[in-house]
Amino acid sequence: MKILIVEDEKRLADALVQIFTKNKMTADTSYNGIDGLDNALSGIYDVIVLDIMLPGMNGIDVLRNLRKDGIKTPVILLTAKDEISDKVRGLDSGADDYLTKPFATEELLARVRALGRRSATELVCDDTLSYSDLSLELSTYTLSCKSNSVKLGLKEFSIMEMLLRNRERVLTKENLLVKIWGYDSDAEYNNVEVYISFLRKKLGYIKSNVSIKTLRGVGYSLETK
Ligand code: CA
């Protein structure tokens, strides 16, 4: 399970990363609302833990923008004080749960697990990402166009999923590297390029009219020909 923590109290954010990691989950952090929104828009997370009081953009606005963009990742809001108005605004804006600080980490873990399970079930019901004549079956890693289909490897699948969730938007190589390989991996841009070329071959093989465009020096986007 992959968690995004958007929290400007660095000590708390880092402590949460440790707790999630100890419980066999992966966690990324953003320390302000703008980075948080940017990361959350990638659509690769199973659960987002979102503080309300944040520099740059507050948690409620992050959440509103996220839902406006069609990202349905479950969100747990963290409220600094037991304020009814924050909770109501949060739930109105599309939050799935909230927790008042200070909270017991066990409670946060339990709620994250519950939301993660829910998002996994939703993925099974809504198993396919589609764009133009292309579809990606999330449970089997199968990329199809009409009657042609091909299996993807795990890395290829993760990249294609990210491209599809961000179709017609440019993903930088750095973005892909960090999201797919992780912050502390030894992978380089070269690794990204290799997997993009594998995916291009597979798109050609199934004769899709969707292609991965290169923006020289910037990154990639999924477009129709
Ligand atoms: Ca805060």
Side-chain angles (χ1 to χ4, degrees):
M1 188 143 60
K2 214 167 160 60
I3 320 291
L4 175 66
I5 301 158
V6 189
E7 168 62 76
D8 60 315
E9 285 166 55
K10 211 167 170 296
R11 281 227 310 258
L12 174 60
D14 296 346
L16 292 180
V17 170
Q18 283 190 359
I19 289 156
F20 286 128
T21 310
K22 223 171 82 186
N23 285 274
K24 303 196 171 25
M25 304 177 196
T26 328
D28 293 336
T29 44
S30 302
Y31 301 121
N32 65 67
I34 293 164
D35 289 350
L37 177 61
D38 196 43
N39 276 324
L41 281 173
S42 68
I44 62 166
Y45 296 99
D46 299 298
V47 177
I48 299 168
V49 178
L50 179 62
D51 189 27
I52 290 187
M53 298 286 279
L54 288 167
M57 182 188 287
N58 72 54
I60 303 276
D61 287 339
V62 171
L63 181 58
R64 283 201 185 114
N65 279 296
L66 212 54
R67 296 298 186 240
K68 206 173 69 193
D69 242 56
I71 304 282
K72 294 182 187 138
T73 313
V75 168
I76 301 182
L77 281 177
L78 301 181
T79 60
K81 42 198 175 318
D82 198 358
E83 258 196 11
I84 299 281
S85 64
D86 269 358
K87 284 179 193 167
V88 172
R89 271 196 317 146
L91 294 170
D92 277 353
S93 315
D96 301 86
D97 201 355
Y98 60 84
L99 207 51
T100 306
K101 292 181 190 176
F103 50 83
T105 53
E106 282 307 318
E107 170 145 32
L108 178 64
L109 268 176
R111 293 194 187 196
V112 164
R113 283 205 182 99
L115 285 179
R117 272 197 297 275
R118 211 178 81 191
S119 83
T121 334
E122 277 166 14
L123 274 185
V124 175
C125 302
D126 186 13
D127 184 42
T128 310
L129 283 175
S130 305
Y131 172 54
S132 185
D133 63 3
L134 187 69
S135 58
L136 178 65
E137 206 175 74
L138 301 172
S139 57
T140 61
Y141 295 10
T142 306
L143 190 66
S144 319
C145 170
K146 299 182 187 110
S147 58
N148 304 322
S149 68
V150 65
K151 284 262 181 199
L152 301 183
L154 178 61
K155 287 268 189 297
E156 293 171 337
F157 167 77
S158 306
I159 294 172
M160 184 48 79
E161 182 186 9
M162 215 172 139
L163 285 166
L164 274 166
R165 290 193 193 277
N166 295 279
R167 66 194 71 171
E168 294 170 15
R169 265 210 300 254
V170 179
L171 291 175
T172 64
K173 284 184 192 175
E174 193 194 354
N175 216 320
L176 285 162
L177 202 59
V178 167
K179 296 286 157 49
I180 310 289
W181 277 269
Y183 275 102
D184 38 12
S185 121
D186 294 329
E188 292 171 3
Y189 286 167
N190 187 28
N191 297 69
V192 180
E193 287 156 16
V194 168
Y195 280 95
I196 292 287
S197 81
F198 290 162
L199 282 172
R200 281 186 172 136
K201 282 200 186 106
K202 293 193 170 176
L203 284 170
Y205 174 73
I206 59 171
K207 301 191 169 64
S208 174
N209 69 15
V210 174
S211 65
I212 303 172
K213 293 249 155 61
T214 302
L215 257 94
R216 204 172 285 275
V218 184
Y220 305 100
S221 68
L222 208 58
E223 310 276 346
T224 48
K225 277 174 196 159

